[in-house]
Amino acid sequence: MSDLFDTAPGAETPRPDAPRPLADRLRPVVLGEVIGQEHILGPDGPLGVMLAAGSLGSVIFWGPPGVGKTTIARLLADATDRAFVQISAIFSGVAELRQVFEAAKLRRRSGQGTLLFVDEIHRFNKAQQDGFLPHMEDGTILLVGATTENPSFELNAALLSRAQVLVLNRLTPADLERLVQRAEKVLDRALPLDGPAREALIEMADGDGRALLNLAEQVMAWTVDGKLDTAALTARLQRRAAQYDKSGDAHYNLISALHKSVRGSDPDAALYWLARMLQGGEDPRYLARRITRMSVEDIGLAEPQAQRVCLDAWETYERLGSPEGELALAQAVVYLALAPKSNAAYAGYKAAVSAAKSSGSEPPPKHILNAPTRLMKDQGYGAGYAYDHDAEDGFSGQNYFPETMKRGVYYQPVERGFERELKRRIDYFVKLRAKRGDG
């Protein structure tokens, strides 16, 4: 459901006849009325199991806006007979936290527990997050935190070790349709929309129950004859901007989706995620850099031209700017998605790095060292070096690894694209090396 189903602590109780927003009128009164989070609230869900056992522990709700984090926290307090206290990490500091903890201690002495709901808990710094720990451990508070950001990155390990992270899902179209039906029942009339327009309204909400109820309330206030179609609806309502935080979790999720779509040779999915990021306001230069990285990491020498295509697209964007330059990035993404794939050079480099770290400071063999001084010549530097251009087939077959080190095999090209030719060349040199006794 929606976080609008809650009022701030300390707010005055409105008169019974005061106007109430639709979201407030639809506020669930029991956990069973919450829509879309059955996976945590059902009998086999973590909260369902805790409540049945009578041992509710501290939890962190991780999920997008408008899916019921505040609502569930309030109802958990009701279900466990605890006082519900709500604060926001955006507006609260050390002084407010002290007051909250002192009040919770007083309640505890009188026999009542406190469920402290902390919205946007990731906004607290490390010291503030650490401040919750002793009060959680001695039972002064039961902490329920809410965050739209990945707790693994935003919350302290000590706090995470004392609370279970529960993921709240984005509301599905079916969930939102149930919410609309509930609103129509409360208002005792149907939305003045035809079928496609009703679907468009749900799509505009973008998985956010709060946004849907706000939109529905606007539509219900219109005076219209008959039912509006999609064109009439969209002319009156502005589509919600897609949820995207250029520095938050969505940023990393979407760039991961773009990268894996390219790696998976799906140009349509890759274009979709590229468009999602650009529409969300992502810096095209960041995308140009990441797209170039994809060409190096996932296409490599299977299609050597891919890297040049990406660099040209990057330069084209710099010359044209937005929005025309974004088309060059889209073309590069399509090229990468359809290019033959190989990470052989990438994997080979990582293997070589590992070998370099483990082999210590082994010097090169003396026969490939230059000898600019007589002393170095006397030490054997350069002795026995075979100049490859003078050798048969332009290949001497000498050893170039440290003398005490076994020859390593790091680059193993695949049978795709241009690397098929590189593999043929490697096999040719392996045969020559074996023939000349340095196998």
Side-chain angles (χ1 to χ4, degrees):
M1 292 283 276
S2 166
D3 289 346
L4 270 193
F5 297 148
D6 303 274
T7 55
E12 295 182 1
T13 303
R15 292 173 47 183
D17 59 345
R20 297 174 62 197
L22 179 59
D24 185 57
R25 296 169 66 182
L26 287 176
R27 180 189 301 169
V29 295
V30 293
L31 287 165
E33 294 179 0
V34 175
I35 290 175
Q37 309 304 334
E38 290 82 3
H39 65 292
I40 64 170
L41 293 172
D44 296 325
L47 288 181
V49 171
M50 287 184 198
L51 291 172
S55 62
L56 181 64
S58 293
V59 294
I60 303 295
F61 291 150
W62 175 26
V67 297
K69 296 186 287 292
T70 311
T71 296
I72 295 173
R74 185 182 293 275
L75 295 176
L76 286 175
D78 292 342
T80 57
D81 196 26
R82 286 180 167 89
F84 179 79
V85 177
Q86 177 180 352
I87 62 173
S88 170
I90 298 175
F91 303 111
S92 301
V94 174
E96 289 83 1
L97 287 175
R98 283 202 193 99
Q99 292 176 8
V100 167
F101 296 144
E102 288 303 317
K105 289 177 182 177
L106 291 175
R107 289 190 204 95
R108 189 181 179 204
R109 291 187 191 121
S110 63
Q112 185 181 28
T114 299
L115 187 150
L116 175 60
F117 176 68
V118 184
D119 199 15
E120 304 286 348
I121 191 171
H122 62 277
R123 302 268 188 170
F124 277 137
N125 61 35
K126 182 180 185 301
Q128 290 170 320
Q129 291 182 29
D130 286 343
F132 291 101
L133 303 181
H135 306 290
M136 295 168 63
E137 291 173 347
D138 67 12
T140 299
I141 62 167
L142 179 74
L143 177 67
V144 177
T147 178
T148 57
E149 301 297 330
N150 190 328
S152 301
F153 303 135
E154 303 295 339
L155 298 183
N156 294 348
L159 184 61
L160 288 176
S161 70
R162 292 164 174 80
Q164 183 174 352
V165 175
L166 301 179
V167 180
L168 273 66
N169 293 334
R170 181 177 184 271
L171 298 186
T172 66
D175 295 330
L176 295 173
E177 172 60 31
R178 288 171 59 196
L179 194 54
V180 169
Q181 292 176 9
R182 188 176 290 180
E184 290 174 324
K185 185 176 181 180
V186 167
L187 297 173
D188 198 26
R189 60 192 181 95
L191 283 169
L193 304 173
D194 64 17
R198 189 183 182 95
E199 293 177 2
L201 182 75
I202 288 174
E203 184 180 344
M204 286 179 182
D206 195 26
D208 186 328
R210 172 176 54 218
L212 177 65
L213 291 179
N214 288 341
L215 293 172
E217 191 164 21
Q218 291 181 56
V219 173
M220 288 292 199
W222 297 339
T223 301
V224 298
D225 295 325
K227 294 186 176 182
L228 300 175
D229 60 15
T230 303
L233 174 68
T234 53
R236 294 175 177 231
L237 280 182
Q238 182 68 37
R239 178 182 293 272
R240 261 183 104 237
Q243 296 170 13
Y244 187 75
D245 180 354
K246 288 188 285 184
S247 62
D249 208 43
H251 165 85
Y252 298 104
N253 287 342
L254 267 61
I255 194 61
S256 175
L258 171 59
H259 195 151
K260 289 179 173 62
S261 298
V262 166
R263 183 182 294 156
S265 301
D266 190 334
D268 297 314
L271 283 174
Y272 170 76
W273 294 117
L274 175 69
R276 278 279 300 273
M277 296 189 78
L278 288 170
Q279 289 298 305
E282 185 58 75
D283 183 357
R285 293 176 179 84
Y286 166 78
L287 289 167
R289 182 176 68 81
R290 288 300 298 254
I291 291 166
T292 304
R293 172 189 164 180
M294 295 172 201
S295 71
V296 175
E297 181 177 333
D298 289 295
I299 285 82
L301 294 172
E303 174 52 280
Q305 183 65 16
Q307 187 175 332
R308 183 70 260 168
V309 168
C310 293
L311 292 172
D312 286 346
W314 195 342
E315 183 177 355
T316 300
Y317 175 80
E318 294 293 352
R319 290 176 178 270
L320 292 181
S322 295
E324 294 85 355
E326 292 166 3
L327 179 58
L329 300 181
Q331 291 173 348
V333 162
V334 170
Y335 190 95
L336 296 187
L338 295 177
K341 306 297 187 297
S342 172
N343 72 339
Y346 181 45
Y349 173 69
K350 290 196 295 184
V353 168
S354 177
K357 290 179 179 179
S358 63
S359 60
S361 302
E362 292 288 339
K366 287 184 178 180
H367 63 268
I368 64 172
L369 298 179
N370 291 330
T373 69
R374 178 168 296 279
L375 175 62
M376 297 171 77
K377 288 181 181 179
D378 292 342
Q379 293 295 317
Y381 284 29
Y385 172 63
Y387 188 56
D388 286 83
H389 293 290
D390 293 337
E392 181 185 357
D393 302 316
F395 179 75
S396 68
Q398 282 195 312
N399 175 50
Y400 301 104
F401 280 91
E403 293 176 352
T404 60
M405 181 178 174
K406 183 179 179 182
R407 163 176 290 280
V409 177
Y410 309 126
Y411 176 56
Q412 302 183 59
V414 298
E415 288 280 358
R416 289 188 294 278
F418 183 69
E419 278 202 328
R420 184 182 290 112
E421 170 63 19
L422 297 182
K423 186 176 187 306
R424 187 185 69 79
R425 296 180 193 180
I426 285 178
D427 292 343
Y428 170 74
F429 289 126
V430 167
K431 289 179 181 178
L432 283 183
R433 189 175 288 112
K435 179 181 177 182
R436 292 169 191 178
D438 189 42

